[in-house]
Amino acid sequence: MAAGLPDSELNSIAKEAGASNVNSCITDGQFKDWVTQQTQDVTQSGVNSTPTVRLNGQDLQLTTPEDLKARVEQALAG
């Protein structure tokens, strides 16, 4: 049995987000291997919650979008 949301719910979410004709992509498993690999890579990297924001290899603890913008600008400035 697969983990995660049922295909019908994924399809509904995609439609609500404005995507069309995604049902066959979801049900035929077109990206199943890619999703599985990404999930394994992220889990092995230590990410254990969402959202996780990592900048230059460091996990950031952010409370607002402004915090994120400031940290990115700081990183760009060197």
Side-chain angles (χ1 to χ4, degrees):
M1 182 173 178
L5 299 174
D7 291 349
S8 60
E9 191 167 348
L10 290 173
N11 193 45
S12 293
I13 292 169
K15 284 182 179 179
E16 287 177 26
S20 60
N21 302 321
V22 296
N23 189 53
S24 63
C25 174
I26 292 170
T27 58
D28 73 8
Q30 180 178 353
F31 295 101
K32 181 182 176 195
D33 292 341
W34 181 85
V35 169
T36 299
Q37 185 62 54
Q38 297 306 308
T39 301
Q40 289 173 353
D41 291 349
V42 168
T43 301
Q44 290 172 357
S45 76
V47 172
N48 59 12
S49 63
T50 59
T52 296
V53 178
R54 190 171 281 169
L55 180 62
N56 292 334
Q58 294 183 346
D59 290 351
L60 303 180
Q61 301 300 317
L62 306 168
T63 56
T64 66
E66 291 77 20
D67 289 345
L68 174 59
K69 182 179 177 188
R71 295 293 294 270
V72 169
E73 289 173 348
Q74 182 182 33
L76 289 172

